[in-house]
Amino acid sequence: MTTIGILGGGQLGYMLALAGYPLGLHFRFLDPSPEAPVGRIANRVTADFQDQQALEKFSHGLEVATYEFENVPVAAAKFLAERVPVYPPAIALEEAQDRLREKRLFRKLGIATTEFAPVLEQSEFDDAVKRVGLPAMLKTCRMGYDGKGQWLLRTDEDVDKARPELPDVPMILEKFVPFARELSVLGVRGRDGESVFYPLIENHHRGGILRLSLAPAPRLTAKLQQMAEEAAQKVLEELGYVGVLCIEFFEGNGQLLANEMAPRVHNSGHWSIEGAVTSQFENHLRAILGMPLGATTAVGVSAMINLIGEVPESAEVLNISNAHLHLYGKEPRTGRKLGHVTLRADQTETLHRRLSELPAFFHRPDYCLEKALPEMLAKRA
Ligand code: AMP
């Protein structure tokens, strides 16, 4: 029996398990919350990530361990790694958990980023503003996700207002990027070092939360894809990475600036369940088990819409041809990712029509369709 241990029990773990069952795999999860959605479908241990006794017991009989949550304490990953193989390596968690380390790693590898300056102490703030210039984004180095822990500073007044309110934690000040769009790439590296890449994905955020992904990204050029793959390859090699890695970029003037990375399967890759020959979830499992990686080719074109805070009537979605509904079994709460819908089509024009014809539920500004649809059919720049 091959059992995979997963730290974190949210929807990413849920979909990893769903991808692994047809391969005959078994799963054991560890999550601090007794409500973690994987409890519905797999063996779940409810314990704190710091609980070494629980981690010890959790590790027994595992073939390999991985994580689906990037803020798993590095110490927990290292503790497990002394007992069973853990992929991706703990160093990837360490780099990705700190925005400053992450950006410095990109720079070291020759991957372009926006200008940035550390604000490790409040006293460094004014100097950082002078160096980076305005407008700028101030972000906490750690524990920020989905737009949390971020401040946009447009004017000197914003700077004056922020100064007395700065939290007493390490921060990074980044030059604001007037990007044309946001893209992400998913790379997968196997235990033997073989790497494969999915086509670039176009992402639309609102309130810092991913709402809509289009894959492959409309107007994708071979050059853009190559730039993204080269960047991801460098990170994969540098970290001796195994598994799926996501890098998010800003695109402008035909250039890519790396913003951040996630050492795990990623929300912008959910379309791959129906929209690629092999899903990101299956490929992550294949990679960490040392199995051959699957083809990452897109099957037609896909749009993935996150269901945040509330879900439509299932029948409304299932009524749409080639729509796929995924509900994670979580209690509805404002801002919470409860599920997603993937729409697939053979061609962009058909996908565009299907998206335009979605029920009213999806046409509220939150879903970003009003912005994305007109751009989708625009000609290549
Ligand atoms: P992050 O947590 O870094 O992914 O930021 C969340 C979202 O804020 C991004 O997806 C962007 O839409 C926006 N954002 C973050 N950093 C910048 C930046 N330096 N310039 C412009 N927009 C940004």
Side-chain angles (χ1 to χ4, degrees):
M1 187 160 107
T2 304
T3 305
I4 296 182
I6 302 187
L7 297 179
Q11 64 267 18
L12 299 176
Y14 186 82
M15 288 183 271
L16 278 168
L18 292 180
Y21 289 138
L23 303 179
L25 303 173
H26 296 255
F27 292 86
R28 187 185 305 156
F29 288 86
L30 186 136
D31 193 285
S33 166
E35 284 163 21
V38 290
R40 264 172 73 194
I41 60 160
N43 182 333
R44 184 193 60 203
V45 178
T46 303
D48 197 273
F49 292 124
Q50 325 271 8
D51 182 343
Q52 295 201 339
Q53 243 178 336
L55 281 171
E56 169 75 45
K57 203 164 149 224
F58 175 75
S59 72
H60 289 168
L62 294 181
E63 182 82 13
V64 56
T66 187
Y67 20 80
E68 62 93 74
F69 172 61
E70 76 205 55
N71 285 318
V72 163
V74 173
K78 288 188 171 160
F79 181 85
L80 265 187
E82 285 162 14
R83 288 152 181 84
V84 291
V86 174
Y87 300 116
I91 180 73
L93 271 186
E94 246 174 319
E95 296 287 351
Q97 284 177 358
D98 184 316
R99 290 182 187 278
L100 193 58
R101 278 186 71 157
E102 185 175 67
K103 287 235 159 48
R104 284 180 169 154
L105 175 72
F106 290 149
R107 280 286 174 92
K108 180 180 128 191
L109 297 174
I111 301 168
T113 69
T114 189
E115 287 301 317
F116 64 90
V119 184
L120 299 181
E121 292 175 21
Q122 290 152 332
S123 60
E124 291 180 328
F125 179 57
D126 287 307
D127 195 41
V129 173
K130 227 177 273 160
R131 275 172 60 192
V132 168
L134 295 180
M137 300 276 291
L138 183 66
K139 304 177 179 179
T140 56
C141 284
R142 304 181 71 86
M143 298 308 267
Y145 61 93
D146 287 349
K148 291 180 188 127
Q150 302 194 2
W151 295 263
L152 173 59
L153 308 176
R154 289 190 184 281
T155 60
D156 291 337
E157 288 75 57
D158 291 342
V159 173
D160 288 340
K161 219 171 121 214
R163 195 179 295 108
E165 290 171 12
L166 292 181
D168 192 14
V169 293
M171 304 185 80
I172 176 174
L173 187 74
E174 296 177 11
K175 180 101 182 157
F176 184 84
V177 183
F179 55 82
R181 60 175 174 170
E182 295 187 71
L183 298 170
S184 60
V185 72
L186 297 167
V188 196
R189 187 166 180 270
R191 276 158 85 156
D192 62 358
E194 181 204 358
S195 302
V196 293
F197 302 90
Y198 287 86
L200 271 164
I201 304 149
E202 177 180 305
N203 299 316
H204 294 263
H205 295 84
R206 205 175 160 91
I209 304 180
L210 179 68
R211 307 288 170 150
L212 169 71
S213 290
L214 300 173
R219 304 181 302 287
L220 178 56
T221 61
K223 181 157 174 274
L224 214 52
Q225 181 69 26
Q226 190 192 342
M227 286 193 289
E229 289 189 13
E230 279 173 9
Q233 180 83 55
K234 284 180 189 166
V235 178
L236 291 172
E237 296 295 331
E238 173 73 12
L239 300 177
Y241 200 91
V242 174
V244 169
L245 170 84
C246 176
I247 302 186
E248 295 182 80
F249 299 97
F250 299 127
E251 186 201 356
N253 304 322
Q255 295 303 314
L256 292 179
L257 297 180
N259 177 38
E260 63 176 354
M261 63 180 183
R264 52 167 171 79
V265 286
H266 193 258
N267 193 170
S268 67
H270 291 0
W271 62 277
S272 64
I273 297 175
E274 292 90 7
V277 173
T278 316
S279 78
Q280 63 163 345
F281 301 101
E282 182 176 331
N283 255 339
H284 183 74
L285 297 172
R286 289 183 183 220
I288 65 175
L289 285 167
M291 299 221 254
L293 303 180
T296 48
T297 324
V299 183
V301 287
S302 300
M304 188 284 314
I305 301 174
N306 267 339
L307 300 173
I308 295 169
E310 55 181 332
V311 299
E313 289 294 328
S314 293
E316 263 197 296
V317 175
L318 301 177
N319 197 22
I320 304 160
S321 123
N322 228 331
H324 303 272
L325 177 64
H326 298 255
L327 297 176
Y328 310 145
K330 291 158 81 175
E331 281 302 312
R333 201 188 301 151
T334 310
R336 203 170 197 207
K337 291 175 180 168
L338 302 175
H340 73 267
V341 175
T342 298
L343 274 181
R344 231 178 46 75
D346 291 338
Q347 307 178 40
T348 305
E349 289 72 18
T350 321
L351 183 63
H352 186 274
R353 197 182 62 239
R354 294 226 172 97
L355 286 168
S356 314
E357 289 169 1
L358 283 175
F361 180 92
F362 294 98
H363 286 279
R364 287 172 293 176
D366 271 0
Y367 288 94
C368 298
L369 284 174
E370 273 33 351
K371 176 162 178 293
L373 280 173
E375 290 169 8
M376 227 172 125
L377 296 180
K379 291 274 170 283
R380 203 164 274 175

